[in-house]
Amino acid sequence: MYLADHTWPELGDALSPGSVALIPLGSTEQHGPHLPLATDHLIAEGLATAAADRSDAFRTPTINVGVSPHHRQFPGTMWVDPPEFRDYVESFARNLAYHGIDRIVFVNAHGGNVQHLREVGRRLHEDEVAYAVEWMWDESIPELVDELFERNGPHAGPKETAMITHLAPELVREDRLEDARDGGLVDLESAETTVHGARTFYDSIDNSANGAFGDPTDVTPEKSERLFEAAADQLVGLAEWIGERDEGELFPEPRVEQGSN
C-alpha cells in the first residue's frame, strides 16, 4: 500500500503498533553517460513499491536526494550534507512513529546513505521510538550479482543498469553503454585507491573520468528481471520478518545489574 494514495480516515484504523513502513531513499546524482540522475531513487522506489504490493507493509513517499558530495564534479548532481540528511530522516521516522508505525525499513539504493541511515536507526532504537533498519538492495543478493555479471562495479555498472533496464528502459541510453565502459573504470583492482593502507581518494571522478564503474554492456532484459525479482523477494521477506517480531524482541535490553548473571 502506498500511504499517500489514501485519505486520513482510511489510514486511521490501518496504522498501529506492529505496522511496517518502507521508506525508499536514493540520490539524484550522476550515473555515467548512460543512466539518468534518478537511478538510485528509481530503484529504491521500484523495490519498495513491489514489496508493499506483496506484503502488508506501507510505502512512504521517496527521499530523492541523499549524501552525494563525492559526485559533485558532474553537472546536475545534488546532495545534502550528512548532519542535515540524518536529522531529516530521523524526523521523518519519528513522524511515522507518532502515527503508530514502530517498524521501519530504510529501502536504500545509494551507498553514500548507508552509514547515516544506520546511525539514524541506532538513535531511534536507543530512544525506543521505532525499530528501523537500513537495507541496501544489492547487499541482499551478492551471490546473484556476482553470478550474473563478470565485471561488476559499485556505481553505474551492470547491476544498476540492469535495474533501470527493468524499471524504466526508456531512460537507459543504450547508445552510450560502450562509452560508459570504455571511458570509465572497468577493473576496480587496477585502481590505485590505497597507499600503505590509506584510502587516497575522496571523489568518484578521481577513479573514473565519466563516473561509471564496471561493464554495463553485460546486461539483458532477462538478467534485469531476475535481479529485480530476487531483490524484491528479499525485501518482502525482511518486511514480514520485522512485522512478525514481538515488540520485546525489537527494543533495547535493560541495563545489566550487578549479580544478575
Side-chain angles (χ1 to χ4, degrees), residues 227-240:
L227 195 71
F228 180 87
E229 291 298 329
D233 285 345
Q234 290 291 319
L235 181 54
V236 169
L238 176 60
E240 292 177 343

Side-chain angles (χ1 to χ4, degrees), residues 7 31 60 79 83 88 130 154 159 163 167 172 217 223 226 248:
T7 67
H31 275 79
T60 75
W79 69 91
Y88 180 86
K159 63 187 178 186
M163 294 296 268
L167 290 165
V172 179
T217 66
K223 289 182 180 180
R226 187 177 173 193

Side-chain angles (χ1 to χ4, degrees), residues 23 30-31 41 70 114 117 133 136 153 168 173 177 180 219 230-231 241:
I23 304 179
Q30 74 83 17
H31 275 79
H41 68 251
H70 49 294
V114 171
L117 293 173
V133 294
M136 185 76 174
R173 280 60 168 180
L177 292 175
V219 171
W241 179 86

Side-chain angles (χ1 to χ4, degrees), residues 13-212:
D13 293 333
L15 305 182
S16 62
S19 298
V20 179
L22 307 177
I23 304 179
L25 304 101
S27 67
T28 300
E29 65 181 24
Q30 74 83 17
H31 275 79
H34 61 302
L35 293 178
L37 300 182
T39 290
D40 285 346
H41 68 251
L42 288 176
I43 294 171
E45 186 171 284
L47 288 168
T49 298
D53 288 345
R54 303 173 193 182
S55 70
D56 293 330
F58 296 93
R59 175 175 74 83
T60 75
T62 303
I63 297 176
N64 292 335
V65 178
V67 182
S68 302
H70 49 294
H71 294 291
R72 67 188 185 278
Q73 289 90 348
F74 296 94
T77 291
M78 304 175 194
W79 69 91
V80 292
D81 290 331
E84 287 72 21
F85 177 78
R86 291 192 295 266
D87 288 347
Y88 180 86
V89 175
E90 181 177 349
S91 181
F92 189 174
R94 287 179 182 271
N95 166 262
L96 293 173
Y98 173 84
H99 289 297
I101 297 175
D102 63 356
R103 298 143 201 253
I104 296 169
V105 179
F106 296 129
V107 182
N108 183 34
H110 174 52
N113 295 339
V114 171
Q115 68 188 83
H116 308 295
L117 293 173
R118 291 176 179 172
E119 170 61 18
V120 170
R122 185 190 66 79
R123 293 180 190 176
L124 297 169
H125 184 256
E126 283 189 355
D127 291 347
E128 299 189 29
V129 171
Y131 181 79
V133 294
E134 182 271 339
W135 179 82
M136 185 76 174
W137 71 271
D138 57 321
E139 292 181 0
S140 75
I141 49 171
E143 296 86 1
L144 180 60
V145 172
D146 289 341
E147 175 189 336
L148 292 178
F149 307 115
E150 181 178 352
R151 292 187 290 182
N152 194 27
H155 182 79
K159 63 187 178 186
E160 290 188 321
T161 302
M163 294 296 268
I164 299 302
T165 296
H166 181 75
L167 290 165
E170 71 280 3
L171 297 182
V172 179
R173 280 60 168 180
E174 294 186 359
D175 60 332
R176 301 299 304 275
L177 292 175
E178 292 185 2
D179 293 342
R181 177 195 63 197
D182 298 340
L185 179 65
V186 174
D187 182 10
L188 301 183
E189 294 182 358
S190 68
E192 297 180 358
T193 57
T194 60
V195 175
H196 299 299
R199 175 170 163 163
T200 58
F201 69 96
Y202 285 95
D203 298 325
S204 174
I205 201 169
D206 294 336
N207 293 316
S208 173
N210 68 9

